Amino acid sequence: MKYINWTLEKCSSRKGFIILLIVCFWAKTMLAYFVDLGLGITNPFQFFIVLINPLATTTLLLSIALYFKKSRFFYPLAILISILNTVLLYLNVIYFREFTDFMTVSTMTGYSKVNQGLSGSSLALTNFHDIFYWIDLVVIIGLLVFKKIKIDPRPLNHRIGLAVTSFSVLFFVVNLSLGEMDRPQLLTRTFDRTYIVKYLGLDAFTVYDGLKSQHNNDLRATATKSELNDVLKFTHKHYAKPNKKYYGIAKGKNVIIIHLESFQQFLINKKINGQEVTPFLNKLYGSKSSYAFSNFFHQVGQGKTSDAENMLETSTYGLPQGSLFAQLGSDNTFQAAPAILNQRRGYTSAVFHGNIASFWNRNNVYKNMGYQYFFDASYYNTTGDRSLGYGLKDKLLFRDSVKYLQNLQQPFYAKYITVTNHFPYDLDKEDTNFKTTNTGDNVVDNYFLTAHYLDQAVHEFYNYMRKTGLLKHSVILLYGDHYGISNSENTNLAKALGKNPDDWDDFDNAQLQRVPLIINIPGKKNGFISKKYGGEIDVLPTLMHLLGISSKRYVQFGTDLLSKQHDQVVAFRNQDWVSPAFTSISGDIYSNKTGQLMKLTKRQQAQVKVDRDKVDNELSLSDSLNEKNLLRFYHPKGFKNVDPRKYNYADLYQKELRIEKRLGKKSTSIYSENGDKSTWNEYFTDAPEIHHKTTDSNRIKITNPDANNNDSSR
């Protein structure tokens, strides 16, 4: 009791109060560092730096209050600074649990455009110990209110404030020097954002990131046409000629993109309790009408789904920080698939997505990409149990989109963005009877449930396409956008994969970034599963060549996966990379054969240097292209920059009907091909929201993708 009274007495002075706030914030920062954030501490020296790195910036911020003489300003300001610093800390904790990354200024300033990125799953991301991030502030404010900590009316000499500020700056310089000793070029060569946090703390990282973002904005404003030359030189040299065997084999066909949310490669052919998790996708993957890739990697950064879309549509990378869609997409110039296919082959383009249009700023970005139609949540009934956290359930999305899809003029380029297989992987019990794993981790266990549901949704859509004849006139591209299980959950996932969690390491995390890519062309009989290494950056040139459209004139960083000249070095957004022989993680080189760190021969060192330099250069050039909006200066033959003012996503259904009526017999829509009758009745789903009772007799059966496409009995 005497110790408590003594402590309260010391905290009743202004200096003691500031020290109390510093100690409390230091303690919860340590909680974040060692419990919630993966900082990768590997030696005692790094451990020491982590212990001291919050002190300099916290003291510097709180020293501001010392300059105010009146207590009515000093105490509220000191408390406000502590609250704001805690908000920053806690938001990073929540963000890290979902994205295994730290919040950047770009992420914060783009929050209104990506607000569901956290809010949709924020409750599931909280833990019981989170109370300790806030309880100190509640207690301190309570002690002030009840006068256990007394207000000190005595003003401090302004020299004390200056001394504390000076000490904080000096201490930060020492902290930075220690960080540079362990990681040279810490700030000039930002290899990984984790390093900045580990060595300098979250406050310093946020300031550093803000300055870098402002620098990028300045670069964008002063960019010139000549800066495009290095980009063109790289992409022209990097171009891979199409394989004559596959060039144009899908010419004139509709393109249907099915965006498999959070879908990882290990789900393919995975069985749980003797039952396949994704039986229909397994059949597509191994079908003779499919070209599938077993070493295909996602390459997203903080933009996650939006990064995957950007790579798919433009064959350029997302940003090193934040989301390109959210930060730059409103006024960026794109040479994207919808515009290219429309201008070269007369394709109609549409996106079907059961979430709000502003999520990831899609309502603006899609216009700049040349999408003519965007059917967002406002076009669907999303009430009640028809929706989950991120929008309309997948089975209902595919079914309810028929109303709009059937009126699109063919050939069309249509993208379906699924959402049910999204963290935190919630699903109503009546939506599935799949018996999942029992790892003790709800995220891992539920992931298999929602993946199974997604598989069924895709199968139902295929049945509709087969019945209406749409399937034989289309190429269907299915791909996983990014990881579903984060690195922090992978040790629990290891149990489900039959691996020892204690043996799990960074190499395993890197290999788990594989996602499926399936290009299904019904009617073809020479399909195969390729072992070539590739990534999302390679999808667009591959698709264009299959459609018989050369990608050579466009600025694309990927290469055709089916080309003999395809580049198999896959760059990750954090500058790690993987190739058929090596995996590079934070500069360490692992052997893909053994999974062990390598001692490189001189020949291997030379190859690794070539690959590393290529990755660094490629990412740097893509960043320059997007951050400076250099495509506004480039006008390839036959391509006109998109005018977003041409597109209005309101009342699209009525617009389609007017086009249908005006074209009359010249219409090429599915509706017209069906004798001006709706194909709605051709769609069957076992979704309980449609069939309130689901029995074994009305469940879908797995059909053979290679079967006769004219067979409408399935």
Side-chain angles (χ1 to χ4, degrees), residues 322-342:
S323 163
L324 187 149
F325 269 33
Q327 299 308 126
L328 305 177
S330 294
D331 54 6
N332 237 34
T333 301
F334 295 99
Q335 291 173 10
I340 292 173
L341 297 186
N342 176 259

Side-chain angles (χ1 to χ4, degrees), residues 329-334 364-371 642 644 647:
S330 294
D331 54 6
N332 237 34
T333 301
F334 295 99
N364 294 311
V365 178
Y366 286 163
K367 292 176 183 177
N368 287 331
M369 287 184 165
Y371 269 112
V642 174
Y647 306 113

Side-chain angles (χ1 to χ4, degrees), residues 274-330:
Q275 185 179 1
E276 291 178 293
V277 179
T278 57
F280 182 69
L281 289 174
N282 295 346
K283 288 185 177 293
L284 276 183
Y285 182 75
S287 168
K288 287 298 182 181
S289 62
S290 295
Y291 306 90
F293 299 85
S294 60
N295 290 308
F296 182 80
F297 292 80
H298 81 78
Q299 298 169 282
V300 306
Q302 288 183 326
K304 293 193 78 178
T305 296
S306 65
D307 280 358
E309 286 190 78
N310 178 67
M311 284 183 279
L312 176 85
E313 308 285 14
T314 72
S315 193
T316 67
Y317 291 94
L319 298 178
Q321 299 170 6
S323 163
L324 187 149
F325 269 33
Q327 299 308 126
L328 305 177
S330 294

